[in-house]
Amino acid sequence: MSEPTMTTPAGDAGVSRRGLLSAGIGVVAGAGIGVVVGAGAGAAITAAVQPDPEPIPPVSANEELMYDHGLLKRILLCYRESSRRLGPDAPVAAVAAALLATAVSDAAELIRDFIEGYHEGMEEAYVFPRLVAAGRSIDIVTTLQAQHDRGRHLTATILDVTADGLGTAAARSALRTDLDAFVRMYEPHEAWEDTVIFPSFREITPDATWRLLAERFASEQDRLFGPNTLTQMVERVSAIESTLGIHDLAAFTPTGTP
């Protein structure tokens, strides 16, 4: 079975939101949140030709994905701080353990709902298949997909272990191991996507399809999370940062004489 591709008419044809919605395009289901699958597993997009070209939407498909990575970076900071508090040099009292379990669980739910359920679903439906069909970065795409799968397993494990409140030393040790593994994998994961995958994706995608993708990503966010998705997600991660005491950006500035 050949890899699905996204197609568009030659030239920079304009596309409308109506054309997008009538195209019947879909998204491969991500873990945690089901996403409707259309013809061609969401990888085929045909731009509807309009008499007058429309401007490229203010937020492109790549910008949407990179905003998501900014959110992911902040969650990784929460994971890193939680791991530090679980270390042998920072013993956790029972009350603190329960609070930490809640913070980590909230962060893992955000990973499951938004990063895995939406962001990775978009990549797997629209980005990875197109690159593979074009013969671009196939080995990297294979690794990224494997990391998505591994990340979902880690998230499920993190949610399981935090459900019991981290009342035992074994639970705290297991959680720290999983948090460290997740951070270690996703820091290079998102860096490779930002510097290799997303630039290649833009390079091989015609402008007409690019417009469709921007609208598709925005409409899928609205469908899953309602309006102002990024604001909602930032508020969720900000609350976790406040619980962990890492909400002050200035606190990350090195002190002392340069």
Side-chain angles (χ1 to χ4, degrees):
M1 178 177 177
S2 60
E3 291 289 345
T5 60
M6 295 187 293
T7 60
T8 182
D12 185 10
V15 290
S16 67
R17 194 173 189 86
R18 177 178 296 177
L20 167 74
L21 296 176
S22 65
I25 56 180
V27 186
V28 171
I33 294 182
V35 186
V36 177
V37 179
I45 294 180
T46 301
V49 178
Q50 301 296 324
D52 297 317
E54 296 176 3
I56 294 177
V59 178
S60 72
N62 272 357
E63 287 173 315
E64 289 277 9
L65 294 171
M66 294 179 80
Y67 289 164
D68 300 348
H69 278 183
L71 185 75
L72 176 58
K73 286 182 174 70
R74 291 177 66 170
I75 301 172
L76 294 182
L77 285 173
C78 293
Y79 274 10
R80 189 185 297 278
E81 173 62 16
S82 299
S83 174
R84 185 190 69 79
R85 296 188 182 199
L86 292 165
D89 296 331
V92 180
V95 174
L99 188 65
L100 187 59
T102 299
V104 174
S105 178
D106 289 347
E109 288 177 356
L110 186 51
I111 290 283
R112 180 197 62 197
D113 295 348
F114 187 72
I115 299 300
E116 296 170 354
Y118 163 73
H119 173 88
E120 292 181 353
M122 294 291 115
E123 291 177 337
E124 292 167 5
Y126 297 116
V127 181
F128 295 168
R130 185 169 179 80
L131 289 168
V132 170
R136 302 284 290 268
S137 305
I138 295 176
D139 290 344
I140 296 175
V141 167
T142 299
T143 298
L144 294 173
Q145 178 65 72
Q147 290 179 344
H148 283 183
D149 294 341
R150 181 59 182 161
R152 289 165 185 155
H153 174 78
L154 285 170
T155 297
T157 303
I158 289 168
L159 287 170
D160 284 344
V161 75
T162 54
D164 294 331
L166 301 180
T168 67
R172 293 191 290 272
S173 176
L175 177 60
R176 189 179 190 215
T177 296
D178 288 341
L179 293 175
D180 289 347
F182 194 96
V183 172
R184 185 178 185 276
M185 179 172 68
Y186 267 95
E187 285 181 337
H189 178 99
E190 63 180 357
W192 279 76
E193 287 186 340
D194 287 346
T195 58
V196 178
I197 296 301
F198 296 164
S200 295
F201 178 49
R202 179 62 186 102
E203 183 180 339
I204 66 173
T205 306
D207 286 348
T209 305
W210 199 242
R211 292 188 183 95
L212 272 177
L213 286 167
E215 290 196 24
R216 184 65 180 111
F217 284 19
S219 66
E220 193 61 23
Q221 278 193 1
D222 290 347
R223 187 183 75 81
L224 292 171
F225 306 106
N228 303 315
T229 298
L230 182 61
T231 299
Q232 292 181 50
M233 299 304 148
V234 169
E235 288 176 352
R236 287 176 65 177
V237 76
S238 295
I240 299 166
E241 291 167 342
S242 295
T243 298
L244 295 172
I246 59 171
H247 56 284
D248 183 7
L249 177 61
F252 292 92
T253 307
T255 57
T257 304

